[in-house]
Amino acid sequence: MAQEIRGGPPVARLVFEPTELEAWDSALVSFVFSAASLAAGAEVDVSALPAGTRRLLDLARAVPPVALGRPPEDNAVTARVGQASLHAWSTAGDAVGFVGEVVLALWAMLRGKARFQGRDLMHAFETAGVGALGIVALINLLIGAVLAFVGAVQLQQFGATVYVANLVAIGITRELGALMTGIVMAGRTGASFAAVLGTMTVNEEVDALKTMGLRPTEFLVLPRVVATSLMLPALVAYADLFGILGGTFAGVALLDLGALQYLRATRESLAVGHVIVGLVKSVAFGMVVSLTGCYYGIRCGRSAAAVGEATTKAVVMGIVLVVVVDAVFTVLLHLLHL
């Protein structure tokens, strides 16, 4: 049919007369629509077709044609940099708005007006606290041992191996305990928050909460942010203990230091100020990790692939922001001589 219409003289009128039509389906509609499209400008008579066919043809004509094919890609470096910059600016603005919503939800909670379930808060405490004890203990135990061994290699050159205890105690409590715990929580708890909230977004559960008049920021995000921010200091104190134990094991078993001598040096060098600095950092790390995971979960797309992408972004951005916040704290404490 296509060759006859294209190869013959111009068609002025196209008439469809199904004389022996007993049953029809969408193939008939597709055939008639294609034939009418090939005879562009011709008068098309479909009055003899069944009423259902004519209605489907009217619906097909009502939809404008869609241009198929991929648009040409702009490979210019400046164009790509510009697109990335615009996307980053848009994401940053959206993230600031999200943080503002969380702050308002926190203010509502302080006034006793936030609406969320207490069991969700308890579950968030368990997820961000008890469930992370094993991995936090293992990581910081090894970090303390590695720090002691690496420090001893340098201090042995000056006959000051005993100061390994000072290095481990200050380094763990002030810096590495909080930093490593924050990174572990970004890969564990932040990813969990992003996956759970992303799945709820895909299943339209977040939309259902909005329909019922509940704010997802209060009902879903606030319990997770509060639980993570409050549990991180406890986890960091726990991590400091295992970090010092790891350093003690390395110093006593590998460096031939006396156990009492090592513990005495640790007690003399460990000031309360170093511990407080690490605990203050941990609160900021907890807020960063929970906000990042919840943000990418709430802003997730509507497909299974989007959940995986949101989880990946939450982990990567969470780790980056933890390191950035730690660097900011380090600079500020140096300027304040603390």
Side-chain angles (χ1 to χ4, degrees):
M1 182 196 67
Q3 295 179 354
E4 295 176 357
I5 295 177
R6 291 174 178 173
V11 178
R13 190 165 185 267
L14 190 62
V15 181
F16 293 92
E17 295 181 354
T19 56
E20 298 181 0
L21 182 64
E22 297 181 357
W24 62 276
D25 55 16
S26 59
L28 175 61
V29 180
S30 177
F31 172 78
V32 175
F33 187 80
S34 300
S37 300
L38 292 174
E43 179 184 354
V44 180
D45 185 1
V46 294
S47 58
L49 294 177
T53 305
R54 295 198 301 271
R55 286 196 297 269
L56 290 177
L57 286 173
D58 293 337
L59 290 174
R61 294 193 188 102
V63 179
V66 179
L68 301 178
R70 297 179 58 185
E73 296 183 358
D74 194 345
N75 294 321
V77 176
T78 54
R80 293 190 175 187
V81 171
Q83 292 174 359
S85 301
L86 291 175
H87 177 70
W89 180 260
S90 175
T91 302
D94 186 46
V96 170
F98 177 77
V99 173
E101 293 178 5
V102 175
V103 171
L104 293 177
L106 181 60
W107 175 245
M109 186 190 73
L110 295 176
R111 293 182 299 164
K113 296 183 178 180
R115 292 185 293 177
F116 60 86
Q117 293 183 340
R119 61 182 181 182
D120 290 341
L121 182 61
M122 294 298 103
H123 179 70
F125 272 115
E126 181 182 359
T127 302
V130 179
L133 291 178
I135 185 65
V136 169
L138 176 62
I139 292 297
N140 285 278
L141 185 71
L142 296 177
I143 288 296
V146 170
L147 182 61
F149 188 78
V150 172
V153 172
Q154 301 300 321
L155 292 175
Q156 281 178 345
Q157 302 177 12
F158 307 97
T161 310
V162 67
Y163 289 104
V164 169
N166 303 55
L167 174 65
V168 172
I170 297 175
I172 290 293
T173 57
R174 188 181 182 93
E175 189 70 30
L176 290 178
L179 181 61
M180 295 307 302
T181 303
I183 292 175
V184 168
M185 295 302 289
R188 183 187 179 280
T189 306
S192 174
F193 289 168
V196 170
L197 297 183
T199 303
M200 294 180 69
T201 302
V202 172
N203 293 337
E204 299 182 353
E205 296 178 44
V206 176
D207 296 335
L209 290 176
K210 296 178 181 178
T211 303
M212 292 187 293
L214 297 174
R215 296 180 180 177
T217 306
E218 290 184 4
F219 198 82
L220 300 176
V221 177
L222 185 59
R224 291 171 169 81
V225 173
V226 171
T228 308
S229 301
L230 294 180
M231 285 304 301
L232 254 293
L235 281 177
V236 168
Y238 175 79
D240 292 345
L241 174 62
F242 276 88
I244 293 175
L245 288 178
T248 304
F249 172 78
V252 174
L254 303 179
L255 304 175
D256 296 328
L257 296 175
L260 294 178
Q261 180 187 14
Y262 188 96
L263 293 176
R264 186 182 300 111
T266 299
R267 186 185 62 183
E268 293 175 353
S269 62
L270 188 59
V272 178
H274 300 316
V275 179
I276 292 177
V277 168
L279 295 180
V280 171
K281 286 182 178 181
S282 67
V283 176
F285 294 163
M287 295 184 66
V288 166
V289 168
S290 56
L291 286 173
T292 304
C294 292
Y295 171 76
Y296 283 106
I298 290 292
R299 297 297 191 267
C300 177
R302 299 287 179 169
S303 64
V307 176
E309 183 179 357
T311 305
T312 303
K313 289 181 178 180
V315 174
V316 173
M317 188 57 66
I319 294 175
V320 170
L321 290 179
V322 165
V323 176
V324 169
V325 171
D326 182 70
V328 172
F329 266 102
T330 302
V331 173
L332 290 178
L333 293 172
H334 175 71
L335 295 177
L336 296 174
H337 303 286
L338 296 176

